Amino acid sequence: MTRIPRDPTETPAKGAGKKNGRAARTAPAGEKETIVHGVVPSREVLMRFIAENPQHASKREIAKAFGLKGEARVELKGLLRSLEEDGLVEKKRKSLVRPGGLPPVTVLDITIRDVDGDLIGRPAEWLDDDGVAPAVLIKQSSVARAKGKTPVGGLGDRVLAKIFPAKERGGPAYTARIIKVLDKRKDAVLGVFRATPGGGGRLMPIDKRGEELLIDPEFIGDAKEGDLVEAHLSRIGRYGLPRAQVQNVVGSVASEKAISMIAIHAHGIPHVFPERVLQEAEAARPATMAHREDWRTLPLITIDPADAKDHDDAVYAEPDSSPDNPGGVIVTVAIADVSWYVRARSALDLEALKRGNSVYFPDRVVPMLPERISNDLCSLKEGVDRPALAVRMRFSKEGRKAGHTFHRIMMRSAAKLSYQQAQTAIDGAPDDKTGPILDTILKPLWEAYRTLTRGRERRQPLELDVPERKIILKPDGTVDRVFVPERLDAHKLIEEMMIQANVAAAETLEQKRQVLIYRVHDQPSLAKQESLREFLATLDIALAKGGNMRANHFNGILAKADGKPYETIVNQMVLRSQSQAIYSPENIGHFGLNLLRYAHFTSPIRRYADLIVHRALVSALGLGEGGIMPEEEAALDDIAAEISTFERRAMAAERDTIDRLIAHHLNGRVGEEFDGRVSGVTKAGLFVTLPAYGADGFIPISTLGRDYFIYDEAHQALSGEKSGLGYRLGDPVQVKLVEAVPLAGALRFEMLSEGRKMPTAMRSFHKAGRRDRTGARKRPGTRPPRGRH
């Protein structure tokens, strides 16, 4: 199982088009072709017009738009015919569209929500005909919905929609307005079964927007009172409750299995492989030696978590014997060759794109690929021949990369080790498995790691200290304990080698002028920089102004806070100031890792972006079958936007599951006191984290006391006007649990700590700030009403 490099900013932009490995020409800044009314436009202008105006792209509309008459219309007709023959435009109904474009009116299937909660659809049946379908942002006016003037679509619906080219870059290429809802969703709904007199029951929704369903006695199956069940709508009448049939009993709502299933359904994560996908996976056969180098004698090893079921990366290192690189090392990273088995536009590929990535819960994994592929044919098992893409990298003794080469190979893992096992051997206590390879394999790996560390220290990536908590479950699925795993050098070794392999992939594809999906991370926005600057000023820590920030500027801040009482709060505020890493075919570099170019290459079993990079390498380097297709290259904007959304969806589902799980674990401890830390400050109250559990809860401002509390954004604090006592981000506090709502993953606390004396400067700031627009002092306002936040 490959790790994503440990960058706290890693959590998923539009790009310049390239096709068949050649970069598309872009006009110099400020250059714009002159358009003369009545004159036939150039091919480039004409194609741009067709792409931007799919609803006005018939021959007649084009002639009208450019004011063409007589001979000019004849010339236009010939030009359009030549564009069709060259495959640059195609006819759909009576309109011309760019390949991969959409006609003015299209049937869409609404599949997901984006990070802003807006619906995203894709053309129905498109994937089977013309390659990867473009994503479409569904525009739904809240005013129009309220007045019932426009049809309203939801997740899973099929709709007839009017298509418009998007006006903003960075998202889907099209927007849409729903004309008619053709088919309401018919897939499974999730709810809690409640028995009713007479043998039937009702399905109580776990979604706030869901509706109650009636279940007739003959359709309850094995459901019992309090079970979490999947059901299918069977009938929707004009009167009364809709009826449903129980299809699957997930289990009691008290079990963790049910809790993760709630997140899977709430976020629309595909979790059941279609039969045709499973059949295709089962039919796959081991890769052959065609177009492969035989590296089976090279002692590559895997180092993974002890409970890993798939192994998609292996490593090996040795001193560089070349006289022109004294003291240098050679590091080899081999990655499972998923592109051999998962071909573009196959059933496996379409399902992998639909999922985007594997999703990890405490009790289960929802994989991107079936186990036949992920845990068998592509898993680099010890002593078994497996196909791989390998990169061999040369580093100087200072940690500078001197060069690299990619190879399509057949390998055989020499050993399967856990992180703890490898680290223990290096620390002087090898076991029967690590002892024989300690001097020949493990020590050279650690020597190479020390070399790479010199390069990392010179590069100075962002070094945030953000503990990663892990939940251990009991056999019955409930929480046993929550802890922070020790960060070993073995973890750092694999992480740094994966980072360097990812950089090498991006560099090679750029050199070959091959399109790819980058992993990009923008620098913090000016607004976020200013907010952080104001906060740091309250601690007498300066943050330089200017738009050209680098990661080492933030490392300097973290160093100044190291060991101080406010160390935790500074780490949190620096993390909050960062942008979010995303996938994009347009490279802007990776701010957090301080890299000019970066692409995910090392985990194609569980990330679709890596699979695209593998295919691009196969094509660019002429390594045989399984390369990237022209249809994929043309759709990289949409693919990048969608898998970025899927990544955020997975993270939200994982977080929600942990919240629900901890809330269930603490449900029986209402009334108990806990040690906590203020993790968020808002006008409405405080968020408090329980470090022992990794759980967050809320304290409404109305329950803090009888004082009037004032929100100070710059200091991230709530301060009492009369007492001068308050609470600040990062403060240790003691709280009492007063409410736990497991299905919502919500906790509510009562503050027990009195609060600390706020600095005089802050209190003066509060008094001066509480003025109305005329300059008069404001009277104390009414506190927000009590209640759950």
Side-chain angles (χ1 to χ4, degrees):
M1 180 186 299
T2 306
R3 280 68 41 192
I4 297 178
R6 186 177 181 273
D7 174 10
T9 63
E10 290 283 332
T11 42
K14 291 280 266 187
K18 298 180 183 177
K19 194 168 182 179
N20 299 328
R22 296 186 178 182
R25 178 189 179 274
T26 55
E31 179 181 312
K32 186 174 182 181
E33 186 171 352
T34 302
I35 299 175
V36 180
H37 194 69
V39 176
V40 177
S42 68
R43 288 163 63 96
E44 289 74 17
V45 171
L46 195 54
M47 288 189 297
R48 187 166 65 246
F49 176 86
I50 292 171
E52 295 175 351
N53 299 274
Q55 68 272 39
H56 299 297
S58 66
K59 293 178 183 178
R60 181 178 180 182
E61 292 284 358
I62 293 172
K64 182 179 179 181
F66 289 94
L68 305 180
K69 298 179 180 179
E71 290 295 327
R73 284 200 175 210
V74 176
E75 187 179 347
L76 172 66
K77 185 177 181 179
L79 178 57
L80 292 174
R81 185 184 302 112
S82 71
L83 290 176
E84 284 188 74
E85 293 172 349
D86 292 342
L88 297 175
V89 299
E90 59 188 24
K91 186 177 293 184
K92 285 186 180 291
R93 297 181 182 177
K94 294 183 179 181
S95 292
L96 292 167
V97 298
R98 294 291 301 274
L102 293 179
V105 177
T106 302
V107 176
L108 302 175
D109 286 328
I110 302 176
T111 55
I112 60 170
R113 290 186 184 273
D114 65 11
V115 69
D116 298 318
D118 293 320
L119 296 170
I120 301 293
R122 284 191 178 277
E125 306 303 327
W126 181 279
L127 288 173
D128 292 332
D129 298 330
D130 302 307
V132 181
V136 182
L137 176 65
I138 310 295
K139 293 287 189 180
Q140 298 196 102
S141 166
S142 58
V143 175
R145 288 200 305 266
K147 295 182 178 180
K149 292 184 177 180
T150 185
V152 178
L155 285 176
D157 290 353
R158 175 166 288 189
V159 300
L160 184 68
K162 180 75 172 176
I163 304 297
F164 306 92
K167 296 181 180 179
E168 299 179 1
R169 291 177 57 84
Y174 296 92
T175 62
R177 176 176 55 80
I178 296 176
I179 299 172
K180 181 180 181 181
V181 177
L182 301 176
D183 194 8
K184 281 290 184 182
R185 67 180 299 171
K186 294 181 179 178
D187 53 338
V189 294
L190 196 69
V192 178
F193 178 77
R194 300 298 184 194
T196 57
R202 295 195 176 194
L203 189 71
M204 313 306 293
I206 55 95
D207 189 336
K208 295 178 181 178
R209 292 167 293 184
E211 58 182 338
E212 188 176 333
L213 304 175
L214 188 64
I215 302 176
D216 293 324
E218 62 269 29
F219 297 126
I220 66 172
D222 297 326
K224 301 180 184 64
E225 176 70 22
D227 278 349
L228 184 72
V229 302
E230 289 180 311
H232 285 263
L233 290 175
S234 59
R235 181 162 58 85
I236 301 177
R238 180 171 296 183
Y239 305 105
L241 292 176
R243 280 175 157 74
Q245 301 178 20
V246 173
Q247 299 292 315
N248 178 43
V249 177
V250 179
S252 168
V253 291
S255 73
E256 200 285 330
K257 181 180 179 181
I259 290 176
S260 61
M261 186 57 74
I262 290 174
I264 288 170
H265 277 260
H267 292 276
I269 296 173
H271 66 289
V272 177
F273 285 106
E275 187 61 31
R276 63 190 179 94
V277 174
L278 295 175
Q279 290 174 356
E280 190 173 285
E282 290 300 322
R285 293 294 175 262
T288 67
M289 288 297 299
H291 295 92
R292 294 189 189 280
E293 301 174 43
D294 191 346
W295 284 22
R296 286 174 287 189
T297 59
L298 186 71
L300 290 150
I301 66 170
T302 61
I303 305 177
D304 291 292
D307 57 353
K309 295 181 179 179
D310 57 73
H311 310 275
D312 56 3
D313 63 89
V315 293
Y316 177 73
E318 59 187 328
D320 190 352
S321 59
S322 174
D324 63 354
N325 189 27
V329 296
I330 297 177
V331 174
T332 300
V333 174
I335 306 298
D337 189 359
V338 179
S339 63
W340 176 264
Y341 294 103
V342 183
R343 302 297 176 89
R345 298 177 61 185
S346 65
L348 280 167
D349 178 54
L350 298 180
E351 184 67 19
L353 176 58
K354 180 180 176 182
R355 295 174 179 232
N357 49 254
S358 297
V359 187
Y360 294 85
F361 298 104
D363 74 317
R364 74 175 77 198
V365 176
V366 179
M368 184 179 79
L369 297 168
E371 287 190 4
R372 167 66 173 160
I373 302 296
S374 60
N375 293 0
D376 186 7
L377 292 176
C378 286
S379 184
L380 307 181
K381 297 181 178 181
E382 179 179 308
V384 180
D385 291 359
R386 284 291 182 261
L389 279 182
V391 57
R392 179 172 281 167
M393 300 172 285
R394 298 174 63 238
F395 294 91
S396 69
K397 63 180 179 180
E398 293 84 15
R400 300 180 187 275
K401 185 153 68 70
H404 68 266
T405 55
F406 277 89
H407 309 261
R408 204 171 200 184
I409 68 169
M410 186 69 73
M411 61 162 284
R412 183 182 297 158
S413 173
K416 181 187 76 170
L417 304 181
S418 69
Y419 288 118
Q420 292 76 13
Q421 192 177 15
Q423 188 68 55
T424 300
I426 286 294
D427 291 342
D431 58 21
D432 293 341
K433 191 168 191 178
T434 56
I437 63 173
L438 179 60
D439 292 329
T440 56
I441 298 178
L442 292 179
K443 286 186 178 179
L445 276 171
W446 255 258
E447 184 59 39
Y449 165 60
R450 283 188 282 272
T451 299
L452 295 184
T453 299
R454 298 184 194 111
R456 180 183 178 94
E457 290 172 349
R458 183 174 56 255
R459 193 176 82 239
Q460 294 191 47
L462 184 60
E463 301 284 4
L464 280 167
D465 182 16
V466 181
E468 298 179 1
R469 302 189 180 278
K470 185 173 182 178
I471 294 179
I472 302 297
L473 301 177
K474 298 177 183 177
D476 64 359
T478 58
V479 175
D480 181 19
R481 60 193 175 97
V482 182
F483 73 104
V484 178
E486 183 182 2
R487 181 93 166 127
L488 304 174
D489 282 345
H491 293 103
K492 300 175 185 177
L493 179 151
I494 295 296
E495 172 188 295
E496 192 60 31
M497 291 183 178
M498 296 304 117
I499 289 175
Q500 293 300 330
N502 288 337
V503 171
E507 290 176 346
T508 292
L509 292 174
E510 279 196 0
Q511 290 166 3
K512 294 294 183 179
R513 302 176 68 81
Q514 170 65 52
V515 293
L516 71 148
I517 291 179
Y518 294 92
R519 180 66 166 181
V520 299
H521 178 225
D522 205 354
Q523 67 177 357
S525 66
L526 293 176
K528 288 185 176 181
Q529 289 183 39
E530 188 58 34
S531 296
L532 178 62
R533 187 176 295 108
E534 291 179 358
F535 167 74
L536 293 174
T538 68
L539 302 175
D540 294 324
I541 299 176
L543 175 63
K545 289 189 176 184
N548 191 25
M549 297 289 292
R550 297 182 68 86
N552 62 342
H553 289 118
F554 294 99
N555 289 337
I557 293 168
L558 298 173
K560 292 178 181 177
D562 188 29
K564 302 292 195 306
Y566 46 76
E567 178 181 2
T568 300
I569 180 177
V570 170
N571 269 270
Q572 289 177 343
M573 291 300 291
V574 170
L575 176 59
R576 293 179 185 185
S577 72
Q578 301 304 305
S579 301
Q580 187 176 49
I582 62 172
Y583 294 110
S584 170
E586 181 177 300
N587 184 30
I588 60 171
H590 198 296
F591 179 82
L593 294 175
N594 199 11
L595 293 168
L596 294 177
R597 53 192 60 83
Y598 190 67
H600 275 168
F601 158 74
T602 53
S603 196
I605 285 178
R606 65 187 183 92
R607 291 187 308 222
Y608 195 81
D610 303 55
L611 178 55
I612 290 289
V613 169
H614 274 236
R615 289 173 178 163
L617 286 166
V618 168
S619 290
L621 299 175
L623 298 178
E625 300 177 32
I628 194 168
M629 302 291 286
E631 295 89 345
E632 290 180 284
E633 293 180 333
L636 285 189
D637 281 345
D638 288 324
I639 292 174
E642 186 149 316
I643 61 178
S644 295
T645 300
F646 290 160
E647 182 184 47
R648 292 191 292 268
R649 176 182 70 181
M651 294 177 64
E654 292 165 4
R655 183 178 60 247
D656 288 353
T657 295
I658 291 174
D659 288 345
R660 289 188 175 103
L661 182 57
I662 296 296
H664 172 71
H665 180 59
L666 296 177
N667 192 33
R669 303 181 64 178
V670 172
E672 293 188 26
E673 299 177 5
F674 299 89
D675 292 326
R677 184 176 294 275
V678 177
S679 58
V681 182
T682 71
K683 294 179 181 180
L686 301 171
F687 287 95
V688 173
T689 296
L690 306 184
Y693 299 95
D696 292 300
F698 188 67
I699 303 177
I701 194 172
S702 57
T703 67
L704 284 178
R706 301 190 62 82
D707 204 346
Y708 182 91
F709 283 86
I710 304 168
Y711 173 57
D712 182 349
E713 183 177 6
H715 293 80
Q716 286 293 293
L718 288 177
S719 302
E721 182 181 43
K722 295 180 180 178
S723 66
L725 300 177
Y727 308 92
R728 196 173 184 183
L729 186 68
D731 281 354
V733 293
Q734 191 171 31
V735 297
K736 181 169 72 174
L737 179 62
V738 295
E739 184 181 20
V741 186
L743 287 182
L747 301 174
R748 185 163 59 87
F749 298 126
E750 177 184 317
M751 179 65 75
L752 300 179
S753 299
E754 186 179 32
R756 62 187 177 99
K757 199 73 174 178
M758 306 305 284
T760 304
M762 291 177 61
R763 293 159 60 192
S764 300
F765 171 83
H766 295 155
K767 292 180 180 180
R770 293 194 63 224
R771 306 268 177 180
D772 61 22
R773 294 182 180 179
T774 66
R777 281 290 303 278
K778 288 185 179 179
R779 297 179 61 186
T782 304
R783 286 193 293 268
R786 295 175 182 267
R788 190 182 311 162
H789 178 74

